[in-house]
Amino acid sequence: MEENDHSIIRAVLTGDKEAYGKLVVRHSPTVFRVAFRITGDEADAEEVVQEAFLRGYQKLESFESRSEFGTWIYRIAVNCALNMKNKRQPAANYQIAEDADPTQHQVQVADTAADPERLLLSQEIEALQARAMQRLTPTERTAFILRHMEARSTEEIAATLHIAPNSAKQAVFRAVQKLRRGLAPLRVNA
């Protein structure tokens, strides 16, 4: 039978420092996934995972056993990822050059074969999506990722970002509105 997180934490706190590795192995995939979605870079995401688990280990005594370790380490990881993102992209770098043709209102998709045109179109769509995500504030981006990619509740988003639940809802709403505007060139008229 697999040990639960709380029993592993008790073991770590009573001197079995090696037991923490079980928590790392168990929760690393989730932490990496959210870190990668926030940072957009695999190496940065790996660094966030290491930093989050290091901070978690250092603050393990402050962990309140009434909550879940997974949620707690997830919050630490989100904060680490946001900190890294802010360090890597100072406020002055948030201006995005407009490359999209404003007269282009439709995107024609080629057949399912991966020919050069389709590959180019996929690259253009990815670039448009990336630009749209970059236009979001760090709070909006994280709230959007947590809600629509990680399926987290408004309360979890609010707790993770240290904001009121209403502010979390507004951040998700603003993100969705900005993304819709940013991805408008992808709409196909039916």
Side-chain angles (χ1 to χ4, degrees):
M1 184 160 108
E2 192 172 296
E3 291 177 280
N4 68 31
D5 290 348
H6 293 290
S7 65
I8 294 171
I9 291 167
R10 278 192 302 277
V12 173
L13 292 176
T14 58
D16 183 4
K17 305 301 182 195
E18 299 296 318
Y20 192 71
K22 294 176 187 175
L23 295 172
V24 173
V25 169
R26 184 176 292 167
H27 295 284
S28 285
T30 303
V31 170
F32 176 82
R33 187 177 66 234
V34 75
F36 182 75
R37 286 182 172 161
I38 292 172
T39 64
D41 182 83
E42 190 173 336
D44 287 348
E46 288 288 347
E47 192 174 323
V48 167
V49 170
Q50 291 176 8
E51 180 68 22
F53 281 105
L54 177 62
R55 287 185 188 181
Y57 183 78
Q58 291 169 339
K59 297 178 185 233
L60 197 58
E61 290 181 0
S62 68
F63 174 72
E64 297 179 13
S65 60
R66 68 176 183 260
S67 63
E68 293 296 322
F69 177 80
T71 303
W72 184 70
I73 199 71
Y74 190 90
R75 288 179 190 154
I76 293 171
V78 167
N79 289 332
C80 290
L82 288 173
N83 290 341
M84 176 173 286
K85 188 108 172 116
N86 288 337
K87 286 178 187 171
R88 300 255 198 266
Q89 289 185 333
N93 288 345
Y94 280 113
Q95 291 184 344
I96 308 299
E98 287 294 328
D99 292 351
D101 180 1
T103 62
Q104 183 67 25
H105 296 293
Q106 293 184 2
V107 174
Q108 294 182 351
V109 179
D111 65 15
T112 58
D115 60 18
E117 287 179 43
R118 183 165 179 88
L119 292 174
L120 180 61
L121 180 61
S122 293
Q123 291 172 347
E124 289 174 6
I125 290 170
E126 286 177 18
L128 191 61
Q129 289 172 332
R131 282 194 303 273
M133 288 295 282
Q134 287 175 340
R135 286 187 180 103
L136 302 178
T137 66
T139 300
E140 291 167 346
R141 179 184 171 105
T142 304
F144 178 82
I145 289 169
L146 294 176
R147 181 71 188 116
H148 293 288
M149 295 178 177
E150 296 291 322
R152 299 296 176 159
S153 70
T154 301
E155 291 74 22
E156 288 176 302
I157 295 167
T160 300
L161 295 175
H162 306 291
I163 58 177
N166 223 17
S167 297
K169 280 184 187 178
Q170 290 173 352
V172 172
F173 178 77
R174 283 191 313 271
V176 169
Q177 297 299 23
K178 286 182 180 180
L179 289 172
R180 281 185 181 154
R181 285 191 302 270
L183 299 175
L186 294 178
R187 282 192 232 144
V188 178
N189 295 334

